Amino acid sequence: MKALLLIIPLCLLLACSKKDDPGNVENIPGLGGDTWVNSPLDKWLHDTLTVPFNIAVKYKWDQFEFELNKTLVPPKEEKIIPVMSAIQRVWMNTYIAEAGNVFFKKYCPKYFILSGSASWNENGTITLGTAEGGRKVVLYLVNDFLTKSMEGYRPSDSANVKQMFHVIEHEFGHILHQTVMYPVAFKRVCAGFYTGNWNNISDMEARRDGFVTPYSMASFDEDFVEMISTMLVEGKAGFDAIVNSIPNGTSINGVSKAEAQSRLRQKEALVVSYFSIVWHIDFYSLQTRTRREINQLLY
Amino acid sequence: MTSLLAGGCKKYLEQVPDSTWTDLSTPAKVSKLLGTAYPQASYITMCEAMSDNVGDKGVGVYYRPNQDAYAFNDIQWIEEDSPEAYWKACYTAIAAANQALTACDKAADPSAYKRQRGEALLARAYAHFMLVNIFAKSYDANTAANDPGIPYVTVPETVVIKQYERKTVAYVYDMVEKDLLSGLPLISDDAYSVPRYHFNQSAAYAFATRFYLFKKDYPKVIVYADHTFSNNDVANNMRQWNGIYASMSPAQIFDLYANASEKANLLIAEAPSLWGRNAGRMRYDLDYVHQTQILGRNVTGGQWSYPLYYYGSQDYFVPKLTEYFVKNSVNATIGQPYVMTPLFTTEEVLFNRAEANAWLNNTSAVLADLNLFASKRIRNYNAAQHTITLPAMQQFYGIADAKGASIRTILDFKRAEYLQEGQRWFDLQRYKIPVIHTTREGQILELKADDNRRLFQIPAAATTSGIALNPR
């Protein structure tokens, strides 16, 4: 039996040696990753994000970082620094100021992937960002980014830029609740009103049911992080304006104005207490800082 | 030491081993055997993928019973969720029923086994009925006497490979009817510890309504439907989608939906299946277009209260059936995924009665049932606003004839109610509705009214028993 086993590998080796020469295996293009001469952009990313926070930013094209059935374009190189420095001001610096360096280094996502265009879905919606396992964050629509210090900025562009901040605050919210879950009471506030058809619901219809955005109707988790991101990006006054914009009467789902407003306020209180109890962060102070930075960039 | 062990051993060996499966000397033991007389397999994956409830999403979980069925090909899979698994599970269930019936016949006092006989007859009829509707043509009085059926097995198999005949659909229906009618009067709920896991009275009558509806014997559907619940109280036995379900989280719904504490579940059975894990996530599954079509506008003008969620960005699902993972042993990390499936629900009795009434031109009775259904399904139901009328149905569907408009409404309501439960397929079969599937690659696959591929293929292994395969 042993002899037989020995003979078989020998035969295989013999068979193999007769096959074609596999070529120069030392030189397969791209094996071991892409290499390129570091540009000032690479140096800026390294010095600003990688050295202090261990954050890598991938802007070179790699479809495998995205969904494979989506058609996307790479980000423009001149957009990378404006996007990342705006994120640094609005999101990183504000969290560091409120919660400290250790908190931020521990929980911040370590891998940013950038896409120039949005990721279009079957149902007509676009995906603006995704977070995976608390480590990787994909940001889409980088090529539409414009702030008031950039050429050609019109106030109407602020919506796109605010969306970007909304996304990063949203995804970081996911990381926080994936680390320590929010209280179950949050799930009871709007129980029964969540739906996969949120994309067919207008902003105002969502508000009238006690949701801050239509997307927050997608699930409990989305509701929680949409509350965080909307409150941070719009600021206290902006959020109050949303709550006060709910008109009299009842929604098509039978929710009264008072009920919708109370739901939003209950959820606000739960978010604030979650930040205070779990993360020892004064949410309102974080909100003020975040909104101040956004104002300086946009208005 | 040795003697001690021997002593212990002797006592152990003095006990008769647990032989519930072979010793059928008491009615209770026969009842235990009958716990296995229900098909432990699920047709949901394959039936859903054959139906018009699904589209090609381009990406998703690849699963043979899903992808082959969508392409209208024979399913290259013999494990859970396949036609082969369903076939095997039905005949396993039938074998248990036949064994139980033999025990009832041989008993010294057969009258003590009345309830067991009733359950065995109903279970045997049910398994054959599902087989004939999956592997043979839907009942059509004009052709049933010639359409090949499936073997109707009434005695335990005692040889290694026995030869069987498919006979005809008409023959199978006659046999099912015989078993059903002789079993029905013997059924009694007090025979069961958990009636919803067995053919209880309501489940047996619900089965009768399905049987006669499929056989197009409409007056009988109404008779049995009216007997299904005490005081004919359908309303209080329905699932409360716009009641308690409306404020539940998906996790809570998953817990309740196929649970024996839910009054709407008339008969529940377990099955090894990946459906609980895969529902919505497979490549050929409920997509945006189909969920909008099925759960969007309806004749009431109101909104369905079925909660719709999605995974990722396009994997839509209504929380219903979930996975029960049965570990191989206490410390195992491997095991078998199961799903609990409601085989009959209250709503089906209502639909069967409404459809029978539609065929008998009792439009007011149809409307009474449909409005009862709407009152339990429409969000914030308001009779003044949402009441279904004949003109409303005629206008909504653009069908002038009352019967046609009623049937369209019933089939659409059923499609929404049983979304992701496989039932739609049987309606498509009964009405020979063509099904069109398109693929991402631009192919258009059509299943015409009399397409041979509408019959799931009989397992190749069955040919050793002399059973002819379906034509292709």
Side-chain angles (χ1 to χ4, degrees), chain B residues 52 202 219 229 300 336 347 355:
Chain B
D52 55 3
S202 296
F229 301 101
T300 66
Q336 179 73 36
E347 287 73 13
E355 198 176 328

Side-chain angles (χ1 to χ4, degrees), chain B residues 126-255:
Chain B
Y126 173 77
H128 283 108
F129 178 75
M130 294 311 291
L131 281 171
V132 79
N133 278 290
I134 286 176
F135 295 100
K137 281 193 182 165
S138 210
Y139 186 89
D140 177 344
N142 298 321
T143 61
N146 295 316
D147 293 333
I150 47 94
Y152 204 98
V153 182
T154 53
V155 287
E157 202 175 66
T158 50
V159 295
V160 179
I161 296 173
K162 198 170 166 180
Q163 298 300 304
Y164 291 98
E165 273 181 79
R166 285 182 70 171
K167 298 207 173 153
T168 63
V169 171
Y171 173 80
V172 176
Y173 266 71
D174 286 346
M175 294 299 285
V176 169
E177 186 169 16
K178 212 173 111 202
D179 279 352
L180 171 65
L181 294 183
S182 44
L184 208 47
L186 308 176
I187 294 288
S188 166
D189 289 5
D190 57 17
Y192 311 122
S193 54
V194 184
R196 292 181 204 280
Y197 292 156
H198 302 270
F199 263 113
N200 54 65
Q201 278 183 322
S202 296
Y205 282 117
F207 175 33
T209 67
R210 186 190 288 182
F211 174 79
Y212 285 112
L213 183 80
F214 280 38
K215 207 186 166 200
K216 302 182 172 64
D217 189 342
Y218 301 115
K220 285 204 177 126
V221 176
I222 296 163
V223 171
Y224 287 109
D226 290 345
H227 276 87
T228 306
F229 301 101
S230 55
N231 303 323
N232 201 1
D233 184 3
V234 174
N236 285 317
N237 285 291
M238 287 174 70
R239 202 181 293 280
Q240 310 292 315
W241 272 121
N242 63 0
I244 51 162
Y245 278 71
S247 57
M248 283 183 170
S249 68
Q252 288 172 307
I253 296 176
F254 279 133
D255 276 347

Side-chain angles (χ1 to χ4, degrees), chain B residues 42 45-46 63 65 75 77 79-83 85 272-275 278:
Chain B
S42 164
T45 309
M46 59 192 205
Y63 190 40
I75 293 169
W77 185 251
E79 305 294 327
E80 63 272 61
D81 303 314
S82 68
S273 169
L274 286 169
W275 179 254
N278 285 344

